[in-house]
Amino acid sequence: MNVCYAAIGEDEDISIAQVFRVADGRIVATPVPGGTSPPDLSRGRLEHRYAESWLRNILAEMSG
């Protein structure tokens, strides 16, 4: 899975995501849609919480 978050305000984010798999030795996108934030930005605060959680987790993994 590849996810990219972008802050659009102090407590709002948007995102884009895609799910991948390995097939015949190659990395390919799955037919399951990854998705993007809705155009009306209705999930901005929720996505901000997801982005903060992702950051905390990746930093914890990197620091061992």
Side-chain angles (χ1 to χ4, degrees):
M1 173 174 258
N2 184 26
V3 179
C4 179
Y5 292 102
I8 60 170
E10 197 170 302
D11 62 352
E12 293 182 298
D13 286 46
I14 55 174
S15 68
I16 185 167
Q18 181 63 56
V19 179
F20 297 89
R21 65 182 175 84
V22 176
D24 299 320
R26 297 180 56 217
I27 299 173
V28 296
T30 65
V32 176
T36 59
S37 299
D40 67 2
L41 306 176
S42 59
R43 294 188 323 212
R45 291 180 191 269
L46 177 62
E47 292 195 72
H48 179 72
R49 290 197 302 266
Y50 292 156
E52 284 186 327
S53 176
W54 175 87
L55 180 59
R56 279 192 303 275
N57 288 327
I58 198 73
L59 291 175
E61 287 180 19
M62 289 171 41
S63 65

